Amino acid sequence: MARASKKSNKLLRRLVIIAVLVVLILTVRLVEDIGFDRHPDDRFTIVRILDGDTVELLGGDRLRLLSIDTPEKDEPFYEEAKSLVGDLGLNRVAKIEYTSARRDRYGRLLGYLYIDSLFVNKAILENGLGYLYLFKDEDLRRPETSQLLAAQRRAMDRKIGVWSLPRRSEEYYIAKSGSFRLHRPGCSSVAELKEGTYRRFKTREEGLREGLSPCRNCKP
């Protein structure tokens, strides 16, 4: 009887382990590549607007719009950015164009969003409702980046959206060599940088016109 009981316990433990593995396989979606079931010319339907740079697609996938960053909740122009994306894309069939990385570490798709011929990422920047947000030098060589940077510069010139907000100015601004983030000189992220490992900019606008984006900590 004792031997039979031990066998039953072992079998039960195996079944529990198998059940847990099945649940993990079905629920964990943190993958680096979209796989072969989708292609860059596939079309999707946008069913929900999560914020100014993230939408939900029919089927449950979420898309993070590439190379832009819009205001967070409770920040100025958050609602306007979200509303613009909703007006342009909600319940519409969209096209996504990808770069080398199809998903981020959270499992979200990464891409440029198009509604018919309208480049949504660009429309957001052109209306002053976000910032260009790059990560790697190779991003600068993409034709989409040229369009996005030009759109941002036009919004800067018109002083609309986020470019209309008053900012406390600094004597200069700093960007770590090889980084696309612009910092105030007192920012903790650049406090221990040595001479020669960073670039200086006379004004905030000078750095942002070049394609940098504001540090999320010191918010220049």
Side-chain angles (χ1 to χ4, degrees):
M1 291 292 292
R3 185 175 297 177
S5 177
K6 287 182 179 179
K7 286 184 178 180
S8 297
N9 289 337
K10 284 183 178 180
L11 179 59
L12 181 60
R13 283 197 295 270
R14 288 178 182 175
L15 290 174
V16 170
I17 292 171
I18 291 171
V20 170
L21 290 174
V22 169
V23 170
L24 288 174
I25 291 170
L26 291 175
T27 57
V28 175
R29 304 186 66 182
L30 302 184
V31 295
E32 293 299 323
D33 195 284
I34 190 174
F36 298 102
D37 57 330
R38 295 286 188 182
H39 300 279
D41 60 349
D42 280 346
R43 294 183 177 272
F44 304 76
T45 299
I46 299 171
V47 296
R48 189 157 67 108
I49 310 300
L50 301 176
D51 55 32
D53 51 38
T54 312
V55 300
E56 186 174 316
L57 307 171
L58 186 65
D61 258 323
R62 292 185 174 187
L63 169 69
R64 174 65 165 82
L65 275 62
L66 198 60
S67 301
I68 68 168
D69 187 39
T70 60
E72 301 294 330
K73 193 171 184 179
D74 297 326
E75 291 183 343
F77 295 103
Y78 166 84
E79 292 294 344
E80 289 85 345
K82 185 176 179 181
S83 293
L84 176 63
V85 177
D87 291 342
L88 295 176
L90 186 60
N91 298 320
R92 300 282 303 277
V93 175
K95 180 181 177 181
I96 303 170
E97 291 191 359
Y98 307 101
T99 58
S100 55
R102 300 287 183 86
R103 293 186 187 263
D104 64 12
R105 57 179 176 161
Y106 305 110
R108 300 177 300 185
L109 294 170
L110 295 171
Y112 302 115
L113 178 63
Y114 291 84
I115 306 294
D116 296 327
S117 61
L118 178 67
F119 187 8
V120 176
N121 307 51
K122 176 183 171 184
I124 292 169
L125 297 189
E126 199 138 38
N127 284 276
L129 298 177
Y131 298 98
L132 182 68
Y133 203 76
L134 306 177
F135 287 94
K136 298 175 289 188
D137 288 338
E138 65 188 59
D139 293 341
L140 283 173
R141 298 192 290 271
R142 295 194 59 84
E144 294 89 352
T145 301
S146 297
Q147 295 182 52
L148 295 174
L149 183 55
Q152 175 166 286
R153 288 171 177 168
R154 287 192 290 271
M156 293 175 72
D157 292 339
R158 294 164 60 199
K159 294 181 171 57
I160 58 174
V162 297
W163 307 106
S164 68
L165 297 171
R167 299 278 178 177
R168 176 176 59 83
S169 62
E170 303 283 356
E171 291 184 13
Y172 61 91
Y173 296 83
I174 286 177
K176 191 186 306 184
S177 297
S179 168
F180 286 95
R181 305 295 165 258
L182 186 71
H183 306 268
R184 296 181 185 275
C187 179
S188 59
S189 300
V190 294
E192 298 182 4
L193 289 182
K194 296 180 180 179
E195 193 73 33
T197 63
Y198 61 86
R199 294 177 293 156
R200 278 195 184 199
F201 297 89
K202 292 181 180 179
T203 66
R204 173 181 186 264
E205 288 70 24
E206 182 185 356
L208 299 182
R209 277 187 175 277
E210 188 178 299
L212 304 182
S213 55
C215 166
R216 289 175 173 173
N217 295 324
C218 64
K219 301 182 186 300

